[in-house]
Amino acid sequence: MNAKRAAAPAHQTQRVGGLDGVRALCALGVAGVHTSFAAGVMGAYVLPPGNEALATLLAGLRPLALGPFFVLSGMLLYKPFARWTLTGSKRPQIGPFLAKRLARLWPAYVLLALVCVFLINFDAVDGPWYVLRPILMLQVYDYTWIAGMDPAWTVPAEMQYYLALPLLAALMHWLAKGVSDPVRKARRMMIPLVLITVGSAVWTYYIHRPAMGIYPHEYWWPLAVGGAFALGMAMAVLHVLAEIKPDHKPALYRIAGDHPLLFWIGALAIYAFNCSQPFGRPGYGDYEGVGLALTQYFLLLAFSYLTVMPLSIPGSRSRVVDAIVANPVSRYLGRISYGIYLWHFAIMYFWFETGSVFGTQPALMNQLRGTIGFPELMTAVLVGSILAATASHYLVERPIVNAVGKWAARKERAAAAATAPSQNSYTVAGPR
C-alpha cells in the first residue's frame, strides 16, 4: 500500500474514500432534515416542534449539509484547470469535460423526473412542456412545483456551474498569464472567486428581504450557492500550489494535513453554534430572515471548508475521521449518495400514498406533516432511497458514465496524438 502511494502522481487525491464518506453523511443529513419536517418533528411557522431536542439538532444541520456537495464539485472539477494555469500543463478538453459532467448528473435526474411526473403528478400534465420542463432543468426558472422533485432544484444549479466552470477557468487563466510566479498567479486567480462569493452573499440578502415574501421564485436560481462552488475552486488552487511548492504550503493547508481531527472539531463547533439558529428559532424550519440567511451563508462556507479540506490532502490521516467516513458502509453510501439525495423526497410521497398513482392530487408536505411518525417515515425513506439509488447507480448511472468516459478517453488520446506531430514539426522548423 505504501509503495502504491509513493508511486502515485503527486496531484492524485488519495482520500477518495473519505470524500465519498462526506457525500454519504451530507445526503443522509439532508434526507433526515426533510423527513423530520414531514413527520412533524421540526417546527414550522405556527406549528411547534414535535420533539424539541431532535428538531434543534436537525434544524442546525439544515443549511449546512448541502455545502460540501458544491465545495467538492468546485474543488475536484477545477483542479485540472488550476494545474493548467499554474504549471503550464495542457488545458483540459472542454468537450469531454462537459460530456462527463452531463453523464454524471443528467441520466439519474431524468429518471427521477419521469417517475415523479408520470406516477405522482400525472393528473397535472397539461402538455409536452410540463414533461420537458424538468427534463431540461428549467422548472426553476419557469417555476413549477413538481411533487417528489422538491429538493432537486440544486441539480440545475450544479449543472449551470458545470457549464460556467470552463469560462471561469479561461477568465482566471487570462488574469494570471501576465506573471510567472505561481503565488502571484494564484492571487490573481482568486479575484473572480472573491467576487462570486461576495455576489452570492448579496443575492442571499436580496432574496431574503421581507418584501420578497416566503420562498420567492428567485430562491431556486443558482446564484445563492455560488460561494460554495467558488470556495471549492479556491481550494483547488491551494492544492496545486502545494504540489508546485511543497516546502511553502499555506499555514491552513499544513494544519489541515497534520491535524485533520482539529478541523473536524471546528466544523462540529460551527454546527453546534448553528443549532442555536442565530436571528432565528431553534428547532424550526421557517424560511430564513435576512440576519439568519446571511449568518448561515458564511457558516456554511466555514463548515464546508473545515469538513472537506483535511480529507482532500494526500497522506492526511485521523483514526477518528477515517472511522466515520472511510469505512466500507460510508464509502458505498457515498458512491450512491447522489441517488439518495434525488430519491428521498419521492419516497416520502409514495409512503404517504399521495399522488396520481394513488388516485389523488399530490398533497403539499405541510398538509402531510405529522400523519406518519418519524421512526416509520425515516426507516421508509432510508430503505427506499438506498434501494432506488442502488438500482439507479448500477442500471443507469454507472453504465452511462463508463461509456462516456471511454469516449472521452479516446477523444483525449486522439487530441494528444494530433498535437504531438505539430509540436515536433515546430521544433524542427524553428532553427531554419
Side-chain angles (χ1 to χ4, degrees), residues 7-60:
H11 64 266
Q12 290 183 354
T13 299
Q14 303 292 344
R15 297 298 301 275
V16 173
L19 297 179
D20 279 342
V22 167
R23 292 187 181 97
L25 291 178
C26 290
L28 294 175
V30 171
V33 168
H34 289 156
T35 304
S36 74
F37 181 89
V41 170
M42 192 183 300
Y45 307 105
V46 298
L47 300 174
N51 182 317
E52 289 191 11
L54 183 57
T56 299
L57 294 175
L58 289 170

Side-chain angles (χ1 to χ4, degrees), residues 134-281:
I135 290 176
L136 297 176
M137 300 186 175
L138 294 176
Q139 80 277 13
V140 296
Y141 295 109
D142 181 10
Y143 182 74
T144 304
W145 173 67
I146 299 176
M149 298 186 68
D150 306 58
W153 65 273
T154 58
V155 181
E158 183 100 352
M159 180 63 77
Q160 288 165 76
Y161 280 106
Y162 289 171
L163 296 175
L165 192 145
L167 297 176
L168 282 172
L171 172 62
M172 294 161 71
H173 186 82
W174 176 78
L175 288 172
K177 70 179 182 179
V179 296
S180 57
D181 177 56
V183 175
R184 292 181 62 200
K185 279 180 177 285
R187 289 172 183 164
R188 293 192 177 193
M189 293 164 71
M190 294 293 183
I191 294 174
L193 304 182
V194 171
L195 293 176
I196 291 172
T197 303
V198 173
S200 290
V202 173
W203 180 258
T204 299
Y205 163 79
Y206 173 76
I207 62 175
H208 286 89
R209 292 175 304 134
M212 297 296 288
I214 296 173
Y215 290 107
H217 291 176
E218 294 86 351
Y219 175 85
W220 315 107
W221 296 5
L223 302 177
V225 298
F229 201 83
L231 172 61
M233 294 175 68
M235 289 166 62
V237 174
L238 291 180
H239 280 293
V240 177
L241 270 180
E243 296 170 9
I244 299 171
K245 295 179 170 291
D247 296 330
H248 297 85
K249 297 174 182 175
L252 285 176
Y253 187 99
R254 293 197 307 272
I255 296 171
D258 295 339
H259 306 284
L261 183 58
L262 183 63
F263 266 51
W264 268 48
I265 291 173
L268 184 62
I270 289 175
Y271 162 65
F273 174 71
N274 195 53
C275 286
S276 70
Q277 295 288 279
F279 304 104
R281 297 190 294 173

Side-chain angles (χ1 to χ4, degrees), residues 284-361:
Y284 280 77
D286 304 341
Y287 185 68
E288 302 91 343
V290 169
L292 179 58
L294 284 175
T295 301
Q296 290 183 340
Y297 173 80
F298 290 106
L299 290 178
L300 179 147
L301 296 181
F303 174 84
S304 301
Y305 176 81
L306 293 171
T307 301
V308 172
M309 190 63 180
L311 296 176
S312 62
I313 298 176
S316 173
R317 301 199 61 83
S318 165
R319 291 182 180 179
V320 175
V321 175
D322 285 351
I324 297 171
V325 297
N327 63 78
V329 174
S330 293
R331 295 180 67 171
Y332 175 75
L333 293 177
R335 287 195 294 274
I336 65 169
S337 58
Y338 179 47
I340 293 174
Y341 178 76
L342 284 179
W343 286 98
H344 74 275
F345 229 95
I347 297 299
M348 278 195 277
Y349 282 98
F350 285 123
W351 199 252
F352 277 115
E353 297 186 3
T354 182
S356 300
V357 70
F358 301 105
T360 66
Q361 293 292 331

